[in-house]
């Protein structure tokens, strides 16, 4: 659908209008919002059917489904917004099984009074992210809550995908001796969000790394089909992600601080704010664990992809009945890299 239906009294005022309760009533105003904004932006053959669900063919194989709700504050931040983030986040959750993402659904909870211009900007960002990823949004839902009972807009996306034959990737498959690799610099997204939220300037623009990682994962799986673990280190950052994997697999981990890729400006910002970049969120990075003998081939494949150019071998899996994640520091000592306790930075994704 490239043109909205013209049966309404007047077009939706996307420049000056606001969301009101009628946009979630199920009546004419809601139909107009859906047709003139969502359907126009997300246009594809499944949405054009105008059903309450999407019917589609899927290739043979194991199906993966993931869902994620996005409540980021602020809604717009350096390098992205809640719209593209909601697409990237769910695509990445599907891709972390080694799966090929196929379709997305999107559910919106809108607050009465939210500017339609901002909503249109978010929807267009989602549409662009979806098209660039080649993963269409094929069904969705819209609800409106009263003024002061929401926070502008919350978005929940669900994705489905298919795992290629012969691929078996899971968080419980890390084994002592395995290599631990990260696809690039860590901590960018969390610091980018904080810089806007607190109106901080660090002398340089720190951008969110939000991105869809399924293309990188496909290249990795093609190079090394026997990857053991994939995980995107979002909330809780790299440190919490590695602790999750260590507990799932019943192993320990030893990191090397000098090998960790962290941007100078991110490290400086974290020092200024008293934060640890290992606990800062990422939205366009992944952690991969594989056999040590596969590490060089995997690093080479990752570094040929734009989203894996800064990939680095950061440590190895070890035997440890306590499932500790430890780090060899730059000064030759060791320290425990524990789970995140409390909430370092809420509302980041």
């Amino acid at each position: 659908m490239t043109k909205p239906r013209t049966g309404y009294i007047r077009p939706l005022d996307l420049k000056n209008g606001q969301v009101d309760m009628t946009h979630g009533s199920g009546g004419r105003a809601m139909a107009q919002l859906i047709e003139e904004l969502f359907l126009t932006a997300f246009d594809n053959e499944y949405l054009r059917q105008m059903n309450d669900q999407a019917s589609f063919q899927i290739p043979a194989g194991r199906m993966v489904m993931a869902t994620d709700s996005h409540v980021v504050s602020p809604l717009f931040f350096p390098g992205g917004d809640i719209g593209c983030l909601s697409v990237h986040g769910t695509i990445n959750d599907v891709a972390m099984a080694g799966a090929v993402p196929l379709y997305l659904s999107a559910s919106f909870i809108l607050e009465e009074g939210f500017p339609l211009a901002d909503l249109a900007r978010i929807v267009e960002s989602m549409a662009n992210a979806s098209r660039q990823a080649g993963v269409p949004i094929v069904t969705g839902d819209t609800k409106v809550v009263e003024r002061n009972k929401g926070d502008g807009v919350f978005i929940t996306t669900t994705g489905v995908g298919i795992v290629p034959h012969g691929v078996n990737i899971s968080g419980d498959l890390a084994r002592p001796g395995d290599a631990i690799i990260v696809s690039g610099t860590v901590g960018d997204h969390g610091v980018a969000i904080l810089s806007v939220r607190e109106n901080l300037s660090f002398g340089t623009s720190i951008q969110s790394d939000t991105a869809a990682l399924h293309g990188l994962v496909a290249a990795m799986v093609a190079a090394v089909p026997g990857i053991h673990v994939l995980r995107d280190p979002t909330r809780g950052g790299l440190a919490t992600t590695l602790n999750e994997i260590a507990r799932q697999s019943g192993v320990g981990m030893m990191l090397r601080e000098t090998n960790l890729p962290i941007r100078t400006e991110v490290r400086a910002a974290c020092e200024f704010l008293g934060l640890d970049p290992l606990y800062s969120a990422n939205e366009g990075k992944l952690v991969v664990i594989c056999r040590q003998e596969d590490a060089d081939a995997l690093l080479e494949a990752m570094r040929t992809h734009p989203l894996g150019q800064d990939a680095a071998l950061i440590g190895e899996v070890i035997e440890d009945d306590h499932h500790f994640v430890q780090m060899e520091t730059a000064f030759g000592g060791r320290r425990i890299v524990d789970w995140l306790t409390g909430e370092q930075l809420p509302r980041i994704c």
Side-chain angles (χ1 to χ4, degrees):
M1 179 179 291
T2 56
K3 293 183 178 178
R5 201 163 63 186
T6 56
Y8 301 104
I9 296 174
R10 61 178 64 88
L12 201 63
D13 185 358
L14 291 176
K15 183 177 181 181
N16 299 306
Q18 295 181 341
V19 172
D20 61 48
M21 296 305 295
T22 65
H23 290 125
S25 67
R28 185 186 298 274
M30 181 173 171
Q32 184 180 22
L33 179 71
I34 292 172
E35 292 183 17
E36 295 188 11
L37 180 57
F38 296 121
L39 294 186
T40 301
F42 298 152
D43 179 40
N44 59 65
E45 60 182 301
Y46 305 99
L47 282 176
R48 285 182 217 130
Q49 296 172 7
M50 299 287 287
N51 292 321
D52 287 340
Q53 70 292 124
S55 176
F56 45 78
Q57 299 291 330
I58 58 171
R62 284 189 295 126
M63 179 176 282
V64 173
M65 182 169 70
T67 191
D68 202 353
S69 296
H70 302 272
V71 296
V72 64
S73 176
L75 299 174
F76 303 95
F77 48 82
D81 54 69
I82 190 174
C84 64
L85 185 69
S86 67
V87 171
H88 295 155
T90 296
I91 286 176
N92 292 345
D93 285 345
V94 172
M96 291 307 109
V100 178
L102 298 176
Y103 304 106
L104 295 172
S105 73
S107 176
F108 296 82
I109 296 178
L110 307 175
E111 182 182 358
E112 181 185 17
F114 188 67
L116 286 174
D118 286 348
L119 180 59
R121 182 180 168 190
I122 290 168
V123 169
E124 190 60 34
S125 176
M126 292 182 71
N128 289 334
S130 170
R131 291 194 189 95
Q132 289 172 5
V135 186
I137 297 169
V138 299
T139 188
D141 184 47
T142 304
K143 296 290 189 302
V144 178
V145 297
E146 295 89 344
R147 194 181 297 268
N148 299 323
K149 292 189 175 180
D151 197 5
V153 57
F154 299 144
I155 303 174
T156 296
T157 48
T158 299
V160 296
I162 297 294
V163 180
H165 179 70
V167 174
N168 182 27
I169 297 172
S170 177
D172 62 352
L173 295 179
R175 297 291 180 264
D178 281 355
I180 306 171
I181 296 170
V182 67
S183 64
T185 55
V186 298
D188 299 10
H189 176 73
V191 173
I193 292 287
L194 188 61
S195 67
V196 179
R197 190 181 298 176
E198 302 299 332
N199 197 26
L200 298 173
S201 174
F202 301 111
T204 182
S205 176
I206 299 174
Q207 302 280 317
S208 167
D209 59 352
T210 180
L213 295 168
H214 60 310
L216 173 61
V217 170
M220 295 166 60
V221 170
V224 179
I227 289 172
H228 289 169
V229 180
L230 281 171
R231 190 70 58 87
D232 53 338
T234 54
R235 282 180 301 170
L238 179 65
T240 300
T241 295
L242 292 178
N243 275 281
E244 291 172 352
I245 297 170
R247 187 173 67 173
Q248 274 185 267
S249 296
V251 297
M253 296 186 184
M254 182 61 70
L255 307 181
R256 288 184 284 277
E257 186 175 24
T258 54
N259 289 13
L260 291 170
I262 302 173
R263 296 185 193 279
T264 302
E265 54 268 39
V266 169
R267 191 185 297 278
C270 286
E271 289 179 357
F272 175 76
L273 296 166
L275 303 176
D276 186 336
L278 293 182
Y279 296 90
S280 181
N282 313 271
E283 289 293 342
K285 302 295 176 356
L286 59 82
V287 176
V288 54
I289 295 177
C290 66
R291 298 188 308 166
Q292 198 69 240
E293 51 266 43
D294 292 331
D296 288 343
L298 192 55
L299 278 168
E300 182 178 353
M302 295 173 73
R303 288 169 177 166
T304 60
H305 192 280
L307 296 178
Q309 291 179 338
D310 296 320
L313 177 65
I314 60 172
E316 64 180 8
V317 179
I318 61 175
E319 293 186 7
D320 185 343
D321 292 338
H322 300 290
H323 317 322
F324 287 149
V325 176
Q326 304 178 60
M327 184 161 66
E328 293 177 352
T329 71
F331 300 103
R334 288 188 179 184
R335 72 175 176 92
I336 298 293
V337 181
D338 207 352
W339 293 77
L340 175 66
T341 56
E343 184 72 83
Q344 187 183 52
L345 188 61
R347 303 282 304 276
I348 55 173
C349 60

